[in-house]
Amino acid sequence: MEAAELGAWLRLALTPGLGNIASRKLLAVFGSAQAIFEQSASTLRQLGSDKLADALQTEPETLGDQLQATLAWLQAGDNRQVVTLGDPGYPASLLDIEDPPSMLYMLGAHGTRAQAAIKNRALCLAMVGSRNPTPQGENNARQFARVFGAADLCVVSGLALGVDGAAHDGALLGDGTTIAVVGTGLDRVYPKQHRDLAHRIAQDGLIISEFPLGTPPLTANFPKRNRIISGLSQGTLVVEAALKSGSLITARLAAEQGKDVFAIPGSIHSPQSRGCHALIKQGAKLVESAQDVLEELRLPYAASTVNADQESDGGPEETALLSAMGFEPVSLDALQARTGLPTSELQGQLLELELTDAIARLPGGLFQRISLG
């Protein structure tokens, strides 16, 4: 893309008061971003308000700096690109949503499976959930995504802490690919804890943003990017979510876009499961395994590969203590009452199980068994 054309698209994106829907209407009338800014004020007023026409006639103060920064970013590596609504590389699935972004910044090696996946929405599944999942929820996200990766299903998520990060990691561990849709400019990583994960995704997958370079992690940007996560995907799987979770926004958008919505049930006592239970009551498909999702999407998979992948991480050998724990959070006193074990012996067995990741220690002195199946 030439500098003049890029500058016109940036100006379109930076014009105050001009949203994606209005931009798309203007592009439909005039054919290109450059052509919009060649129109007279009177012509533009016929298509919108006087205020918007005046805004389009005024060059944003930050345009020059933003253009130079974007050109420098593009020249810094061959794994960077900017695609626009008029670009053949623009994800076709996003053209079906109500307000597709006029520009997308992409970071990832050319020719990756992730880039192929966004051209075919049937190859993408969104996975979202809590930023503060239970140990079981985080493990579910990683193990489900690992199976999806092994089945050549691209996992799309938001690079947030918790379920998002586990989903990206699991897909890569399954020798699959993943797409991270972020709420900042691509010249920064948020959260910082995911810097290494972001580098791994950029090598084997794709990182996407609609926000200009330099955009900080503003709260309003994260719900906004959720429509892209659901829009790129054939379905959305919610792993764990509270009733007021942003993940439910993604699920709602997916349903509005006519996509499948899946939810993993959890403990009736866990606040992190109530969002999933609410979705199931509203018609989301209850899933207990990654295979359930693959079958529902009618995607081919090798059952032996799925089973082997689950069994390779298979749960620990059943012991009397694990049986006594069940799958709900439980206190040391309750375990002692159930097992009759002396305190020192019980604590020793719990420590051994914790070191093998069979159980997790929770706040408040509670313990919970982790299912890896």
Side-chain angles (χ1 to χ4, degrees), residues 73-129:
W73 179 78
L74 288 169
Q75 293 167 1
D78 59 5
N79 61 343
R80 303 158 186 235
Q81 59 180 318
V82 174
V83 297
T84 67
L85 281 169
D87 193 304
Y90 191 92
S93 58
L94 293 184
L95 297 176
D96 295 335
I97 69 175
E98 183 180 4
D99 57 340
S102 60
M103 297 180 64
L104 285 174
Y105 300 78
M106 296 186 176
L107 178 62
H110 290 296
T112 62
R113 286 175 291 171
Q115 291 179 332
I118 61 176
K119 296 179 182 179
N120 183 354
R121 75 195 72 182
L123 297 177
C124 294
L125 176 76
M127 287 186 66
V128 294

Side-chain angles (χ1 to χ4, degrees), residues 35-87:
I36 293 173
F37 297 108
E38 295 171 355
Q39 306 305 312
S40 65
S42 60
T43 299
L44 293 172
R45 288 191 180 96
Q46 293 176 9
L47 299 172
S49 65
D50 291 349
K51 183 178 181 181
L52 182 56
D54 291 340
L56 287 167
Q57 292 284 300
T58 305
E59 183 176 299
E61 293 182 1
T62 59
L63 178 60
D65 291 340
Q66 190 65 50
L67 176 58
Q68 293 305 313
T70 304
L71 289 171
W73 179 78
L74 288 169
Q75 293 167 1
D78 59 5
N79 61 343
R80 303 158 186 235
Q81 59 180 318
V82 174
V83 297
T84 67
L85 281 169
D87 193 304

Side-chain angles (χ1 to χ4, degrees), residues 70-209:
T70 304
L71 289 171
W73 179 78
L74 288 169
Q75 293 167 1
D78 59 5
N79 61 343
R80 303 158 186 235
Q81 59 180 318
V82 174
V83 297
T84 67
L85 281 169
D87 193 304
Y90 191 92
S93 58
L94 293 184
L95 297 176
D96 295 335
I97 69 175
E98 183 180 4
D99 57 340
S102 60
M103 297 180 64
L104 285 174
Y105 300 78
M106 296 186 176
L107 178 62
H110 290 296
T112 62
R113 286 175 291 171
Q115 291 179 332
I118 61 176
K119 296 179 182 179
N120 183 354
R121 75 195 72 182
L123 297 177
C124 294
L125 176 76
M127 287 186 66
V128 294
S130 172
R131 284 175 168 78
N132 298 290
T134 64
Q136 183 66 71
E138 184 172 358
N139 183 72
N140 285 341
R142 183 169 284 104
Q143 295 303 324
F144 272 57
R146 185 172 182 176
V147 175
F148 295 147
D152 289 330
L153 184 62
C154 178
V155 171
V156 184
S157 197
L159 198 64
L161 293 173
V163 165
D164 286 18
H168 291 305
D169 182 53
L172 295 174
L173 289 174
D175 196 27
T177 190
T178 185
I179 296 173
V181 183
V182 301
T184 65
L186 288 192
D187 55 342
R188 57 184 66 200
V189 175
Y190 181 84
K192 292 181 178 179
Q193 297 95 311
H194 280 171
R195 184 174 299 277
D196 289 342
L197 177 60
H199 290 163
R200 289 169 58 205
I201 295 172
Q203 289 177 355
D204 298 313
L206 198 59
I207 305 178
I208 296 176
S209 177

